Amino acid sequence: MTARGTGQGLDAEDLDVEEALALVKDGNGTARPAGGPRPAQGEGGDRGASPSASPSAPARAPETGHRGDAGEHGHRATSWPEARTIAARAARSGAARLAPVSVTLDDALGLVLAAPLTALTDLPSFDTSAMDGWAVAGPGPWRVREEGVLAGSAAPARLADGEAARIATGARIPPDTTGVLRSEHGRTDDNGRLHPTREMQHGHDIRSRGQECRSGDQLLRAGAMVTPAVLGLAAAAGYDTLAAVPRPRVEVLVLGDELLTEGRPHDGLIRDALGPMLPPWLRALGAEVIAVRRLGDDAQALHKAITASGADLVVTTGGTASGPVDHVHPTLRRLDAELLVDGVKVRPGHPMLLARLKEDQHLVGLPGNPLAAVSGLLTLAEPLLRTLAARPAPEPYTLPLRQSAHGHPYDTRLIPVVLRGDHAVPLHYNGPAMLRGIAAADALAVVPPGGARAGQETELLDLPWAAAGIDACFT
């Protein structure tokens, strides 16, 4: 799909299937109220469009308002920014918060510190040499004693005035040392006496005890992310384990009888793209994926899987609309779950939902179309997981668009972009069922209702691997 600027004066040819259906007058855009039926979603989000709705028909605004306005039952879809705020706040209750755990340094990467990191010792814990060279006492020239000082050796003998000893980087400084003369800054004469070739100050190239910190100093606050550098600092400071917020446990339930797990699509069956895609993406968001289960279109199996799950977050794919085999809403009603978000004013992905199953357990229902599912993942799952894992919210940032971006008349739109210099370039193949655009993308542009013109500053959502690298973000 090409960028088309703002949404003013759009006709049916300017809209894709989901947008045309959203504007149909007959109520396809009305979201289900709590406890009541809901007409079929028009995004083709789970099972495709209603047969009576044609993308080639003239697009008309509904008399009762656009999708997301209050319908006949008074239900209102949630704006995209509000949905993200609700998802972030949903995990802030005391019951939902994850209790800190003690983890080894090998297992701590990517977690958040649950307690301040305080130094268990002075760093360095003794005076050490910063360079290979000679430890010298008093003014030169110096006589060099036979035994040198190596890193890890026992306490060296005291230096007499006018004496020098070979020393290695990291080795303990002998008592009464004036400074360390670097190897490249000294020479020996025919009598074996050491002379400096550069002026040397007192304490030169000596790392004094406690230079970096003293025992008890706070090195990092609680809430800091454990990076490879933090692991190194913790080890240097004497830690074997760290108190950290554990990774939220996530179970993925893939719904749909039409999904294949291998081979090419055939006979009306399609490959499951979400089963392979979601688990690593969730891990990149800080989660521990404890199970991926394929249930097909089976209401009883879905009910059993949700009630049996011990995960902090259950993620379902597909089944969030109101078709004959869309079982997520009926199952949530059967479980007396609290719907926190039921439909979001965003394209693709508006049939997404967020429910509280228990005080310490939530469910995110993603649409079945792949890019729509990505939209739901970043809209609802990412803020909730971030709060559960105590990760800080990323700083929002914007870039101007190099080209205009086609927008939905009423809803926010998330469009894959690549970053080129100081601009974001919208990508084609950004329909709800397409992954070709997002596979090449660096970020998603948050396009406001009506679209964005070329040069307009637009908020961006980074993709985790674009910022951190594949190896870093999937650990």
Side-chain angles (χ1 to χ4, degrees):
M1 183 191 307
T2 58
R4 299 182 185 273
T6 67
Q8 302 299 319
L10 290 173
D11 58 26
E13 293 182 355
D14 292 316
L15 302 174
D16 62 13
V17 173
E18 55 162 322
E19 294 164 326
L21 291 175
L23 300 177
V24 173
K25 178 181 176 181
D26 64 4
N28 282 348
T30 304
R32 180 194 66 81
R38 177 167 63 183
Q41 298 289 350
E43 191 173 61
D46 293 313
R47 306 296 170 189
S50 166
S52 63
S54 169
S56 61
R60 297 173 293 170
E63 293 177 357
T64 57
H66 60 76
R67 176 178 294 279
D69 282 352
E72 58 177 326
H73 302 288
H75 175 81
R76 184 180 296 274
T78 306
S79 71
W80 183 77
E82 184 184 0
R84 285 172 58 81
T85 299
I86 292 171
R89 290 177 177 170
R92 289 179 183 168
S93 68
R97 290 176 183 167
L98 303 178
V101 293
S102 178
V103 295
T104 65
L105 298 188
D106 287 343
D107 295 327
L109 183 64
L111 301 184
V112 168
L113 293 178
L117 188 74
T118 57
L120 303 180
T121 182
D122 297 343
L123 284 181
S125 54
F126 47 83
D127 293 347
T128 64
S129 175
M131 301 294 292
D132 292 334
W134 297 269
V136 300
W142 304 274
R143 66 181 182 278
V144 181
R145 68 188 186 192
E146 291 185 5
E147 67 276 10
V149 186
L150 300 177
S153 61
R158 184 182 303 272
L159 283 178
D161 195 37
E163 189 177 30
R166 266 287 185 184
I167 194 166
T169 302
R172 298 179 69 173
I173 294 293
D176 293 340
T177 295
T178 302
V180 172
L181 181 66
R182 299 186 184 188
S183 297
E184 61 268 29
H185 295 165
R187 64 174 181 82
T188 55
D189 60 23
D190 293 340
N191 296 319
R193 294 178 67 82
L194 175 66
H195 298 262
T197 59
R198 290 190 183 181
E199 184 179 352
M200 188 180 70
Q201 303 296 323
H202 192 279
H204 189 72
D205 280 334
I206 294 177
R207 294 186 63 228
S208 301
R209 177 174 182 166
Q211 185 182 80
E212 185 169 4
C213 65
R214 290 291 184 181
S215 180
D217 285 354
Q218 180 173 311
L219 305 176
L220 292 170
R221 59 173 177 78
M225 179 77 70
V226 179
T227 64
V230 170
L231 293 175
L233 177 61
Y239 284 85
D240 299 315
T241 61
L242 293 173
V245 180
R247 303 179 197 278
R249 296 165 301 157
V250 178
E251 185 166 357
V252 179
L253 305 179
V254 181
L255 313 181
D257 288 338
E258 74 277 20
L259 302 178
L260 295 168
T261 59
E262 60 182 14
R264 299 179 184 179
H266 62 86
D267 301 326
L269 302 178
I270 61 174
R271 277 296 296 270
D272 169 29
L274 299 183
M277 179 175 71
L278 290 181
W281 204 317
L282 288 163
R283 284 192 287 271
L285 296 177
E288 176 190 355
V289 180
I290 60 175
V292 179
R293 304 179 61 187
R294 292 173 170 82
L295 304 181
D297 293 315
D298 187 324
Q300 280 302 112
L302 177 61
H303 181 271
K304 182 178 179 180
I306 294 175
T307 55
S309 177
D312 303 302
L313 172 63
V314 177
V315 174
T316 62
T317 71
T320 56
S322 57
V325 291
D326 291 335
H327 301 305
V328 174
H329 278 96
T331 300
L332 293 177
R333 288 194 291 270
R334 182 179 174 187
L335 293 170
D336 197 26
E338 179 186 1
L339 272 175
L340 304 177
V341 175
D342 188 11
V344 177
K345 298 178 188 178
V346 67
R347 303 305 174 106
H350 64 84
M352 68 182 73
L353 62 86
L354 170 64
R356 180 177 286 121
L357 302 173
K358 305 172 187 176
E359 281 303 311
D360 60 349
Q361 187 180 50
H362 292 81
L363 179 143
V364 168
L366 303 178
N369 273 325
L371 190 58
V374 169
S375 174
L377 188 70
L378 297 182
T379 301
L380 298 177
E382 186 275 331
L384 188 141
L385 289 171
R386 181 192 343 121
T387 304
L388 282 175
R391 292 187 173 196
E395 287 292 328
Y397 76 102
T398 65
L399 282 179
L401 296 179
R402 183 167 292 176
Q403 304 161 5
S404 60
H406 174 60
H408 187 272
Y410 313 119
D411 298 347
T412 299
R413 192 172 187 88
L414 302 182
I415 296 179
V417 296
V418 291
L419 307 183
R420 295 292 182 264
D422 57 354
H423 283 76
V425 183
L427 294 171
H428 303 306
Y429 306 106
N430 53 30
M434 298 180 179
L435 287 174
R436 187 171 171 182
I438 192 71
D442 299 315
L444 286 170
V446 182
V447 176
R453 65 186 182 278
Q456 181 173 331
E457 291 282 340
T458 306
E459 181 183 353
L460 297 180
L461 301 177
D462 274 330
L463 301 177
W465 52 88
I470 293 291
D471 292 337
C473 73
F474 294 110
T475 53

